[in-house]
Amino acid sequence: MARLPKTVIDPIIDQNPIAVQILGICSALAVTTSLTTALTMSLAVIAVLVTGNLIISLIRNHIPTSIRLIIQIVIIASFVIVVDQLLQAFAFGISQRLSIFVSLIVTNCLVLGRAEAFAMRNPVGPSLLDALGNGFGYAVVLLIVGAIRELFGSGTLLGTQVLPLTTEGGWYPGLSLMLLAPSAFFILGILIWAIRSVRRAQVEPNEYPPAAEAREARS
Amino acid sequence: MTELFLRAVFADNLILSFFLGVCTFLAISKRVETAAGLAIALTVVQSISIPLNYLVLEYLLSAGSWAWLGLPDVDLGFLKLIAFIGVIAAMVQILEMVLERYVPALFRSMGIYLPLITVNCAILGGSLFMAERQYDLAESFVFGLGSGIGWGLAIVALAAIRERLRYADIPAGLRGLGIAFIVTGLMSMGFTAFGVVQAP
């Protein structure tokens, strides 16, 4: 039982799905212009991950190997449709702002990746915990990026004004770059740099070392 | 039409302004040749699958499309996600077989990338954008072609930059993934400038 909590805690930093496993980046960047959309998207992904992993792990012994990918995609797509319809019914404004990105959870490699790599081989309990852990890892990155972009871009957090904008008589000139696409790439790149500076083990090896260093390494 | 094409290639570039297909974009951009192969495969699939999905959406799924059968109230719009994925997966499979039979040389050079494309969110995203923005048949073909070319342009450019960066002295923590993100960010800023490009 001691290793169960590890499946939850590991993916949050050490095995973070976005920063380390490079899964599910597509949607992670597009929905982070504000904290509200990032939060909604995280909840949607966690819901799909948990339910998808649960069902796939339940029927894993009855899925023929040759058509497993199709079955997994259909199960995941069904849950994504449910989540999408729920959002349209109860939070129409946010679902409009998320545009097509809720539907794109289907091709989010994170969901399919965890189904294929974990839920197909493990019983229901660990699969659920794995889904929760990876979902939280995904949510943490999304929320950090979303908070930075909303705070510096429009001076708000979750819609409440934190930094008063100059256009409304305050002192903070909004940084509109933060609301554009490039800033998402920069913030994620810098975030990965920060994580790797703390966790040295994640640094990628230098594939093409300078000649002098290579000689030193050989001798 | 030219306007739509230019927008799809530059200003509304799928990777650099909508972040679609970033996973593949970062994974397969270490060498220019492989990136170019993937870019061609994606453009072909994109410009066939978007018009095809348009036909499926218009004649099978949208509200009122079953009226000729005496079922005017049937609206299968909620099925579009599963239908699109099915169409894309089937189309990639058929394209693979056709290429293997008639153009074996081309099949050998881009064969390995075709299966990868089924799970690329740029393809599904393109079809979903087509549905959301309500393009007609001709527009969806132009949009498919343009967005495919734009995606290809971005991945070939990134691969070329990464080839040059091999010998650069990058801080250890930024090596690999980190620097790829920063470079993509700079490219994205550059492409934003193309937003003002107008059709003559």
Side-chain angles (χ1 to χ4, degrees), chain A residues 19 22 24-26 29-30 73 77 80-81 85 99-101 103-104 106-107 109 181-182 184-186 188-189 192-193 196 203-208, chain B residues 15-23 30 78 81-82 85 121 124-125 128-129 132 166-167 171-177 181-182 184-186 188-189:
Chain A
I22 331 184
I25 297 175
C26 318
L29 296 166
I73 288 184
V80 171
I81 292 177
Q85 302 271 322
S99 168
I100 63 166
F101 290 99
S103 311
L104 281 178
V106 179
T107 48
C109 4
F185 289 112
F186 292 139
L188 206 51
I192 289 169
W193 190 9
R196 288 187 179 172
V203 173
E204 289 174 40
N206 195 348
E207 284 175 39
Y208 304 92
Chain B
I15 299 181
L16 299 172
S17 49
F18 291 107
F19 314 101
L20 296 180
V22 176
C23 307
K30 285 194 172 154
F78 66 94
L81 193 57
I82 288 187
I85 294 178
C121 38
L124 183 63
L128 289 169
F129 271 134
E132 197 185 73
R166 271 180 202 166
Y167 303 104
L174 267 180
R175 222 178 277 149
L177 188 59
F181 268 114
I182 307 272
T184 316
L186 289 170
S188 166
M189 280 174 93

Side-chain angles (χ1 to χ4, degrees), chain B residues 61-79:
Chain B
L61 299 179
S62 60
S65 52
W66 291 94
W68 55 276
L69 261 182
L71 300 166
D73 296 329
V74 174
D75 179 1
L76 296 176
F78 66 94
L79 279 181

